[in-house]
Each structure stands twice: as C-alpha cells, then as structure tokens.
Amino acid sequence: MSRIFSGIQPSGELHIGNYLGAVKNWTQLQHEFESIFCIVDYHAITQQYDPERLRVRRREMAVSLLSAGIDPNVASLFVQSQVPEHTELAWFLNTITPLGELERQTQFKEKSARQESVTAGLLNYPVLQAADILLYRADLVPVGEDQVQHLELSRVVSRRWNAMFARATGKTTEDGAEEREEFFPEPKPLLTPMRRIMGLDGQAKMSKSMNNTIGLLEPPESIWAKLRPAVTDPKRIRKTDPGTPEVCNIFHLHKAFSSPETVEHVAVQCSTAGWGCIDCKKVLAESMETELVPIRRRAVELAAYPKAVDDALAAGADRCRRLARETIDVVRERMGF
Ligand code: SF4
C-alpha cells in the first residue's frame, strides 16, 4: 500500500476552508493509503508566535482533526515535535541544500518581504518540510493545485541525497553503468479534488488572517450571522436580477455541502431570478448543518474525554517514531555516522 504524508499548522480550530480543501479529503484517503497526518508545530515557530497560544492551538487542531473524521485506528495522527527525528533529518538535508535554492523559494520571498528581520528558520522552512515527507519515505503528498510547486524542493532534495549517498548494489545496469539502490522515493503530488475555497468576502482564499472564515465547530447562529452578509455575484443587485452561479462563492459552497439535486436547483433559481440570495443562503445553511452537526457532536465528546485526544496523539507518535528511527539509522550510516 502506498504511503501518504500531509502536515497542517497548529492554527487552532479548523475552518471550513481547511476542511473542504484538505482534511475532508484526508478522511477518505486514510482508507485507501497508509496515512500519516502531522500537526507541524515546528513550522509554526518560524514566524512570531505566542508560546501559550501555540499550546492551545495545537490541542484545538488535534480536536478538530479527530472530530472531522481522522480515525486514529486507521491513520497515524501526531504532533511533529513529539518525533525529534524531523529536525535531525532536516539538519542532514540542510547540509546538501544550496543557499540559493532556498532564497529562490516563492514563499520565502513573499514572507521575508513582509518582515523587518528574517530568521534562518524561515529560510530553512522548506528543508524541514522535505524532512517531514522523506522521514516516512512517503510516496504521495495530498496537495491542492496551488501547492504543487512547494513539493518540488522535496523532490529535488530526495534526488540529490540519493545521487550522493545511494549504495552500489554490486550489479551493473543493461548499459553497463553501476547499479545503485536509491533510498528515498521521489514524493509525488496527489491532487486534492476540491478547488480552492474563497473567503466570505469573495476576495481572497479563506484564511484566519483575513478574518473571512467560518469555523468548523461554530454554532449555527454564528454561521448564519456570517453567511447572511457574505459576498455573492456582484452583478446581482436586486432580487429580480438573474445571477451567474459560477461567479458566486455561495454557489461553490453549495457544491461542497449540498446534494447534486440542490446544486442544480440553486443554479436554476439563481439564473432565472427565481429566488433571492438570502433564500439561497438559508438552503446552504441547512446543508452545512447536515454535515457539521456530527462533527460538532464528536468535538463535544472529545472535550468531555480529553484523554482520548492524548491517547490518539501518543499512539500516532509512537508509530511514527519507529518509522522515523528506521530512516534516520540508514541516513546516519550512509552519511558517515
Ligand atoms: Fe449566489 Fe445564490 Fe445569490 Fe445566485 S442566488 S448570486 S448562487 S447567493
């Protein structure tokens, strides 16, 4: 069975953008692949942060993931800092990664442009990301289309390490070259089917920093308070104006939460001015409730029994530490330790 690895920052409670864009897909993939899901808290400290909030957010993320359907009996869910081999491998990979390659990373250029003082941690972030994936010799990494380029460095590092430290098998290939046994697979992207979820402002990707999100565990009244004023088709000013569903963010949320029949009904009602946007949003709120009620219920159960969260994370870390140790033993030996 192929192995997948995916990481998520401990940003606190999941919002529906994270859920639809990544985590909902993970809950299906966990039954098709050997799955490793990691709360990447070492990544979270490459920018300014509050240690107390980090502790809270790490916990909230674990509760959200388990409530959303990550099953610790099927997949391994753990916190990155519980497996110190991540940083050990990152160090080894740092030593074979040219500085220029890191300075050219788009994410580094964007983030460093916004900061007065840039840390080495921010520069080396993609190497830690490569270490996260290579540590488990993952075959596939679930990503959205806009994240495929972030995986490229991991692929390059894997090829480079193999070229430098692969062991000769003692055989020759058909064309007479020395056959070498490669250790790290080149991780491939596994494209997430869901398109990028826009925020309620209809302007930017849904993100906590843009304050345009709906929390996965938010109560229905609070969801409605956010949905009601959410941006729709900007050309639909009056109820009697026909709309264009494809340009409306609410329609895309219907596609994620409503049945195919309802989505079809929404498209017809919108394009014929058969109803107003508030009617449309009320139907969306109902569809969301159908999906979110069981998730909220699980979160309440986990809050009442926190040991279940601790046990799930500890079991995941134990399993991953064993796999990580196997990789590190080989890497250390091949690199002269
Ligand atoms: Fe968007 Fe629905 Fe309004 Fe059409 S009717 S513009 S899909 S909110």
Short mmCIF file of all heavy atoms in Angstrom, two decimals, residues 232-233 236 248 250-251 266 270 275 277 280, ligand 1:
data_model
loop_
_atom_site.label_atom_id
_atom_site.label_comp_id
_atom_site.label_asym_id
_atom_site.label_seq_id
_atom_site.Cartn_x
_atom_site.Cartn_y
_atom_site.Cartn_z
N THR A 232 -21.87 37.83 -2.72
CA THR A 232 -22.42 36.91 -3.74
C THR A 232 -22.00 37.42 -5.13
O THR A 232 -21.01 38.14 -5.23
CB THR A 232 -23.95 36.84 -3.62
OG1 THR A 232 -24.47 38.14 -3.87
CG2 THR A 232 -24.38 36.37 -2.24
N ASP A 233 -22.77 37.06 -6.16
CA ASP A 233 -22.49 37.58 -7.51
C ASP A 233 -22.62 39.11 -7.46
O ASP A 233 -23.72 39.64 -7.23
CB ASP A 233 -23.50 36.97 -8.48
CG ASP A 233 -23.43 37.59 -9.87
OD1 ASP A 233 -22.59 38.49 -10.08
OD2 ASP A 233 -24.21 37.17 -10.74
N ARG A 236 -25.50 40.89 -9.21
CA ARG A 236 -26.89 40.65 -8.81
C ARG A 236 -27.24 41.64 -7.71
O ARG A 236 -27.01 41.40 -6.52
CB ARG A 236 -27.05 39.20 -8.34
CG ARG A 236 -28.48 38.83 -8.26
CD ARG A 236 -28.77 37.37 -8.14
NE ARG A 236 -30.21 37.26 -8.26
CZ ARG A 236 -30.96 36.44 -7.58
NH1 ARG A 236 -30.42 35.60 -6.74
NH2 ARG A 236 -32.26 36.45 -7.73
N CYS A 248 -20.25 33.04 -8.16
CA CYS A 248 -20.66 33.30 -6.77
C CYS A 248 -20.06 32.27 -5.81
O CYS A 248 -20.21 31.06 -6.00
CB CYS A 248 -22.19 33.27 -6.69
SG CYS A 248 -22.77 33.47 -5.01
N ILE A 250 -20.99 31.59 -2.84
CA ILE A 250 -22.04 30.81 -2.15
C ILE A 250 -22.39 29.57 -2.97
O ILE A 250 -22.61 28.48 -2.42
CB ILE A 250 -23.29 31.70 -1.91
CG1 ILE A 250 -22.94 32.88 -1.00
CG2 ILE A 250 -24.47 30.90 -1.36
CD1 ILE A 250 -22.50 32.51 0.40
N PHE A 251 -22.40 29.74 -4.29
CA PHE A 251 -22.70 28.58 -5.14
C PHE A 251 -21.62 27.50 -4.97
O PHE A 251 -21.93 26.31 -4.92
CB PHE A 251 -22.79 29.02 -6.61
CG PHE A 251 -23.17 27.91 -7.55
CD1 PHE A 251 -24.39 27.26 -7.43
CD2 PHE A 251 -22.28 27.50 -8.54
CE1 PHE A 251 -24.73 26.21 -8.30
CE2 PHE A 251 -22.62 26.46 -9.41
CZ PHE A 251 -23.85 25.82 -9.29
N VAL A 266 -30.30 25.30 -7.17
CA VAL A 266 -29.71 26.62 -6.88
C VAL A 266 -29.35 27.32 -8.20
O VAL A 266 -29.65 28.50 -8.40
CB VAL A 266 -28.43 26.47 -6.01
CG1 VAL A 266 -27.68 27.80 -5.89
CG2 VAL A 266 -28.78 25.94 -4.62
N CYS A 270 -31.11 30.76 -9.32
CA CYS A 270 -30.25 31.94 -9.39
C CYS A 270 -30.31 32.55 -10.78
O CYS A 270 -30.57 33.75 -10.94
CB CYS A 270 -28.81 31.53 -9.05
SG CYS A 270 -27.63 32.86 -9.25
N TRP A 275 -35.28 33.19 -6.98
CA TRP A 275 -35.24 33.49 -5.54
C TRP A 275 -34.16 34.52 -5.27
O TRP A 275 -33.34 34.85 -6.15
CB TRP A 275 -35.06 32.22 -4.69
CG TRP A 275 -33.75 31.48 -4.85
CD1 TRP A 275 -32.63 31.89 -5.52
CD2 TRP A 275 -33.42 30.21 -4.28
NE1 TRP A 275 -31.64 30.96 -5.42
CE2 TRP A 275 -32.09 29.90 -4.65
CE3 TRP A 275 -34.10 29.30 -3.48
CZ2 TRP A 275 -31.45 28.73 -4.27
CZ3 TRP A 275 -33.45 28.14 -3.10
CH2 TRP A 275 -32.15 27.86 -3.49
N CYS A 277 -30.90 36.04 -2.81
CA CYS A 277 -29.67 35.45 -2.25
C CYS A 277 -29.88 34.96 -0.81
O CYS A 277 -29.25 33.99 -0.39
CB CYS A 277 -28.53 36.45 -2.32
SG CYS A 277 -28.01 36.75 -4.02
N CYS A 280 -31.28 31.56 -0.92
CA CYS A 280 -30.21 30.65 -1.34
C CYS A 280 -29.29 30.31 -0.16
O CYS A 280 -28.92 29.16 0.06
CB CYS A 280 -29.44 31.34 -2.46
SG CYS A 280 -28.13 30.37 -3.16
FE1 SF4 B 1 -25.10 33.40 -5.30
FE2 SF4 B 1 -27.25 32.07 -4.61
FE3 SF4 B 1 -27.33 34.72 -4.89
FE4 SF4 B 1 -27.06 33.17 -7.02
S1 SF4 B 1 -28.83 33.24 -5.66
S2 SF4 B 1 -25.89 35.02 -6.58
S3 SF4 B 1 -25.82 31.49 -6.21
S4 SF4 B 1 -26.18 33.57 -3.36
#
